[in-house]
Amino acid sequence: DYRHVYVPVLWTMHYELIGSMLLFALFLVMPPRWLRFIGYAIAAILLWQSYLFGFVAGVVICEVWLARGDRNTALRRWIFIPLGLYGLLLGSCPSPTANGFYRAALPGVWHDDSTQAHSVGAAFLLAAVVALPPLHRALSVRPLRLLGRGAFILDLLHFMVLGSVGAQTGIRWDGHLPYTLAVTLAAAVTIAASLAIAWIYTGAVDEPLMRRLSRVNALIRRIQIAARILLA
Protein backbone atom coordinates (compact mmCIF):
# COMPACT_ATOMS: atom_id res chain seq x y z
CA ASP A 1 0.00 0.00 0.00
CA TYR A 2 1.97 3.01 -1.28
CA ARG A 3 -0.08 5.49 0.75
CA HIS A 4 1.94 4.61 3.87
CA VAL A 5 5.52 4.63 2.61
CA TYR A 6 8.09 7.35 3.10
CA VAL A 7 8.89 7.81 -0.59
CA PRO A 8 5.58 7.12 -2.38
CA VAL A 9 6.91 8.10 -5.81
CA LEU A 10 8.97 4.90 -5.85
CA TRP A 11 5.85 2.80 -6.47
CA THR A 12 7.26 2.39 -9.99
CA MET A 13 10.09 0.16 -8.70
CA HIS A 14 7.67 -2.75 -8.33
CA TYR A 15 6.91 -2.68 -12.05
CA GLU A 16 10.47 -1.82 -13.09
CA LEU A 17 11.87 -4.88 -11.31
CA ILE A 18 9.29 -7.31 -12.70
CA GLY A 19 9.36 -5.81 -16.20
CA SER A 20 13.17 -5.88 -16.31
CA MET A 21 13.26 -9.53 -15.26
CA LEU A 22 10.76 -10.41 -18.00
CA LEU A 23 12.91 -8.73 -20.65
CA PHE A 24 16.11 -10.28 -19.32
CA ALA A 25 14.49 -13.72 -19.53
CA LEU A 26 13.42 -13.02 -23.12
CA PHE A 27 16.86 -11.80 -24.20
CA LEU A 28 18.55 -14.72 -22.47
CA VAL A 29 16.60 -17.12 -24.69
CA MET A 30 16.60 -14.74 -27.71
CA PRO A 31 14.28 -16.65 -30.08
CA PRO A 32 14.05 -15.72 -33.80
CA ARG A 33 12.61 -12.29 -34.52
CA TRP A 34 9.27 -13.57 -35.83
CA LEU A 35 8.83 -15.69 -32.71
CA ARG A 36 9.72 -12.75 -30.48
CA PHE A 37 6.95 -10.67 -32.05
CA ILE A 38 4.45 -13.44 -31.39
CA GLY A 39 5.64 -13.37 -27.78
CA TYR A 40 5.25 -9.58 -27.69
CA ALA A 41 1.68 -9.86 -28.97
CA ILE A 42 0.78 -12.45 -26.33
CA ALA A 43 2.46 -10.41 -23.58
CA ALA A 44 0.67 -7.23 -24.71
CA ILE A 45 -2.69 -8.99 -24.45
CA LEU A 46 -1.89 -10.45 -21.02
CA LEU A 47 -0.44 -7.19 -19.64
CA TRP A 48 -2.85 -4.78 -21.33
CA GLN A 49 -4.36 -3.61 -18.04
CA SER A 50 -1.01 -3.21 -16.27
CA TYR A 51 1.87 -0.74 -16.30
CA LEU A 52 3.98 -3.73 -17.39
CA PHE A 53 2.46 -3.16 -20.83
CA GLY A 54 4.95 -0.29 -21.14
CA PHE A 55 7.86 -2.75 -21.19
CA VAL A 56 6.30 -4.65 -24.07
CA ALA A 57 5.58 -1.45 -25.99
CA GLY A 58 9.10 -0.17 -25.39
CA VAL A 59 10.86 -3.28 -26.64
CA VAL A 60 8.61 -3.41 -29.74
CA ILE A 61 9.44 0.23 -30.54
CA CYS A 62 13.12 -0.63 -30.10
CA GLU A 63 12.91 -3.63 -32.42
CA VAL A 64 11.08 -1.67 -35.12
CA TRP A 65 13.51 1.24 -34.84
CA LEU A 66 16.57 -1.01 -35.17
CA ALA A 67 15.11 -2.78 -38.22
CA ARG A 68 13.69 0.29 -39.96
CA GLY A 69 16.67 1.02 -42.27
CA ASP A 70 15.75 3.74 -44.78
CA ARG A 71 12.21 2.53 -45.32
CA ASN A 72 10.58 5.27 -43.26
CA THR A 73 9.75 8.05 -45.69
CA ALA A 74 9.23 11.63 -44.54
CA LEU A 75 5.46 11.22 -44.98
CA ARG A 76 5.38 8.13 -42.83
CA ARG A 77 7.46 9.82 -40.15
CA TRP A 78 5.27 12.90 -39.92
CA ILE A 79 2.24 10.73 -39.28
CA PHE A 80 3.72 10.39 -35.80
CA ILE A 81 3.06 14.08 -35.01
CA PRO A 82 -0.66 13.59 -34.20
CA LEU A 83 0.22 10.29 -32.54
CA GLY A 84 2.69 12.05 -30.24
CA LEU A 85 0.21 14.83 -29.45
CA TYR A 86 -2.41 12.21 -28.63
CA GLY A 87 0.13 10.52 -26.37
CA LEU A 88 0.74 13.81 -24.54
CA LEU A 89 -3.00 14.22 -24.06
CA LEU A 90 -3.41 10.73 -22.63
CA GLY A 91 -0.30 11.13 -20.47
CA SER A 92 -1.83 14.18 -18.78
CA CYS A 93 -4.75 12.11 -17.51
CA PRO A 94 -5.29 12.80 -13.78
CA SER A 95 -4.55 9.98 -11.37
CA PRO A 96 -5.90 7.91 -9.69
CA THR A 97 -9.30 8.61 -11.29
CA ALA A 98 -9.83 9.73 -14.88
CA ASN A 99 -12.55 12.27 -15.53
CA GLY A 100 -15.14 12.10 -18.30
CA PHE A 101 -12.97 13.95 -20.82
CA TYR A 102 -10.16 11.39 -20.65
CA ARG A 103 -12.56 8.46 -20.64
CA ALA A 104 -13.95 9.79 -23.91
CA ALA A 105 -10.43 10.37 -25.31
CA LEU A 106 -9.48 6.71 -24.73
CA PRO A 107 -11.96 4.46 -26.56
CA GLY A 108 -13.12 1.32 -24.85
CA VAL A 109 -13.96 0.28 -21.32
CA TRP A 110 -10.96 -0.42 -19.12
CA HIS A 111 -10.44 -1.80 -15.65
CA ASP A 112 -8.39 1.31 -14.77
CA ASP A 113 -8.82 4.28 -17.12
CA SER A 114 -5.92 6.24 -15.62
CA THR A 115 -3.43 3.37 -15.90
CA GLN A 116 -4.54 2.65 -19.44
CA ALA A 117 -4.30 6.29 -20.52
CA HIS A 118 -0.79 6.65 -19.08
CA SER A 119 0.46 3.38 -20.60
CA VAL A 120 -0.90 4.01 -24.09
CA GLY A 121 0.05 7.70 -23.96
CA ALA A 122 3.64 6.92 -22.99
CA ALA A 123 3.95 4.36 -25.81
CA PHE A 124 2.62 6.80 -28.42
CA LEU A 125 4.85 9.63 -27.19
CA LEU A 126 7.97 7.44 -27.19
CA ALA A 127 7.17 6.19 -30.69
CA ALA A 128 6.84 9.79 -31.90
CA VAL A 129 10.15 10.84 -30.32
CA VAL A 130 11.95 7.88 -31.91
CA ALA A 131 10.31 8.30 -35.34
CA LEU A 132 10.68 12.07 -35.76
CA PRO A 133 14.33 13.09 -36.34
CA PRO A 134 13.78 16.81 -35.52
CA LEU A 135 12.21 15.93 -32.18
CA HIS A 136 14.88 13.31 -31.54
CA ARG A 137 17.64 15.86 -32.20
CA ALA A 138 15.96 18.52 -30.05
CA LEU A 139 15.85 16.13 -27.10
CA SER A 140 19.46 15.01 -27.67
CA VAL A 141 21.14 18.36 -26.98
CA ARG A 142 23.87 18.29 -24.36
CA PRO A 143 21.90 19.82 -21.41
CA LEU A 144 19.08 17.32 -21.83
CA ARG A 145 21.52 14.44 -22.23
CA LEU A 146 23.16 15.48 -18.96
CA LEU A 147 19.73 15.60 -17.32
CA GLY A 148 18.97 12.14 -18.69
CA ARG A 149 22.31 10.86 -17.41
CA GLY A 150 21.26 11.52 -13.82
CA ALA A 151 17.52 10.98 -14.26
CA PHE A 152 17.37 7.62 -12.50
CA ILE A 153 19.12 8.87 -9.36
CA LEU A 154 17.03 12.04 -9.51
CA ASP A 155 13.91 9.88 -9.49
CA LEU A 156 15.19 7.95 -6.47
CA LEU A 157 16.23 10.91 -4.33
CA HIS A 158 14.17 13.98 -5.24
CA PHE A 159 11.30 13.22 -2.84
CA MET A 160 13.67 13.01 0.12
CA VAL A 161 15.20 16.35 -0.87
CA LEU A 162 11.70 17.82 -1.16
CA GLY A 163 10.82 16.56 2.33
CA SER A 164 14.01 17.87 3.94
CA VAL A 165 15.86 20.78 2.35
CA GLY A 166 12.86 21.98 0.36
CA ALA A 167 10.39 21.78 3.24
CA GLN A 168 12.80 23.42 5.66
CA THR A 169 13.37 26.31 3.23
CA GLY A 170 9.63 26.88 2.92
CA ILE A 171 9.13 26.76 6.71
CA ARG A 172 12.11 29.04 7.33
CA TRP A 173 10.94 31.82 5.01
CA ASP A 174 7.18 31.54 5.46
CA GLY A 175 6.16 34.68 7.34
CA HIS A 176 9.33 36.54 6.39
CA LEU A 177 8.44 36.60 2.69
CA PRO A 178 5.10 36.63 0.89
CA TYR A 179 3.77 33.07 0.64
CA THR A 180 4.23 32.89 -3.15
CA LEU A 181 7.87 33.98 -2.88
CA ALA A 182 8.54 31.53 -0.05
CA VAL A 183 7.12 28.65 -2.10
CA THR A 184 9.06 29.77 -5.19
CA LEU A 185 12.28 29.88 -3.18
CA ALA A 186 11.61 26.46 -1.69
CA ALA A 187 10.95 25.04 -5.16
CA ALA A 188 14.15 26.57 -6.54
CA VAL A 189 16.22 25.19 -3.65
CA THR A 190 14.61 21.76 -4.04
CA ILE A 191 15.33 21.62 -7.78
CA ALA A 192 18.91 22.86 -7.40
CA ALA A 193 19.70 20.52 -4.50
CA SER A 194 18.07 17.53 -6.25
CA LEU A 195 20.07 18.09 -9.44
CA ALA A 196 23.32 18.57 -7.52
CA ILE A 197 22.84 15.44 -5.39
CA ALA A 198 21.79 13.38 -8.42
CA TRP A 199 24.85 14.55 -10.37
CA ILE A 200 27.25 13.70 -7.50
CA TYR A 201 25.64 10.33 -6.79
CA THR A 202 25.56 9.40 -10.48
CA GLY A 203 29.26 10.11 -10.94
CA ALA A 204 30.41 8.67 -7.60
CA VAL A 205 28.18 5.59 -7.22
CA ASP A 206 25.86 4.71 -10.09
CA GLU A 207 28.18 4.94 -13.11
CA PRO A 208 31.18 3.25 -11.42
CA LEU A 209 28.86 0.41 -10.41
CA MET A 210 27.56 0.12 -13.99
CA ARG A 211 31.14 -0.04 -15.30
CA ARG A 212 31.97 -2.85 -12.88
CA LEU A 213 28.86 -4.76 -13.91
CA SER A 214 29.81 -4.27 -17.57
CA ARG A 215 33.21 -5.84 -16.91
CA VAL A 216 31.52 -8.78 -15.17
CA ASN A 217 29.18 -9.14 -18.15
CA ALA A 218 32.13 -9.08 -20.58
CA LEU A 219 33.86 -11.79 -18.54
CA ILE A 220 30.73 -13.95 -18.60
CA ARG A 221 30.49 -13.57 -22.38
CA ARG A 222 34.13 -14.65 -22.82
CA ILE A 223 33.47 -17.69 -20.65
CA GLN A 224 30.40 -18.53 -22.77
CA ILE A 225 32.39 -18.25 -26.00
CA ALA A 226 35.18 -20.40 -24.60
CA ALA A 227 32.64 -23.02 -23.47
CA ARG A 228 31.06 -23.14 -26.92
CA ILE A 229 34.46 -23.62 -28.54
CA LEU A 230 35.34 -26.44 -26.15
CA LEU A 231 31.96 -28.14 -26.63
CA ALA A 232 32.27 -27.86 -30.41
Side-chain angles (χ1 to χ4, degrees), residues 1-5:
D1 187 344
Y2 297 102
R3 294 171 298 177
H4 304 293
V5 297

Side-chain angles (χ1 to χ4, degrees), residues 32-185:
R33 190 166 183 267
W34 65 269
L35 189 57
R36 291 202 302 274
F37 272 89
I38 293 177
Y40 297 151
I42 295 173
I45 293 172
L46 294 176
L47 302 175
W48 180 242
Q49 299 287 345
S50 166
Y51 278 118
L52 291 173
F53 171 79
F55 284 86
V56 180
V59 76
V60 169
I61 291 171
C62 178
E63 290 251 27
V64 173
W65 181 72
L66 290 174
R68 76 194 191 289
D70 296 323
R71 288 175 290 179
N72 287 342
T73 64
L75 176 61
R76 289 177 181 172
R77 286 198 300 264
W78 288 106
I79 292 175
F80 283 90
I81 292 179
L83 192 69
L85 293 174
Y86 183 46
L88 278 174
L89 173 67
L90 294 178
S92 66
C93 177
S95 181
T97 305
N99 58 35
F101 173 80
Y102 288 96
R103 292 193 190 99
L106 186 65
V109 178
W110 314 110
H111 173 68
D112 187 331
D113 294 304
S114 179
T115 298
Q116 205 63 47
H118 292 160
S119 298
V120 176
F124 285 169
L125 182 59
L126 178 60
V129 171
V130 170
L132 296 172
L135 187 56
H136 197 174
R137 287 193 295 268
L139 293 174
S140 298
V141 296
R142 183 174 176 80
L144 294 182
R145 288 169 60 191
L146 290 174
L147 180 61
R149 179 181 168 189
F152 181 67
I153 302 302
L154 184 64
D155 184 38
L156 292 178
L157 300 180
H158 79 277
F159 197 84
M160 288 182 280
V161 177
L162 174 64
S164 55
V165 178
Q168 182 61 32
T169 302
I171 293 171
R172 170 67 179 80
W173 290 102
D174 185 27
H176 299 280
L177 293 174
Y179 178 75
T180 302
L181 288 180
V183 171
T184 302
L185 179 61

Side-chain angles (χ1 to χ4, degrees), residues 222-232:
R222 287 196 292 269
I223 293 174
Q224 288 175 332
I225 293 173
R228 290 173 185 171
I229 294 174
L230 291 175
L231 291 174

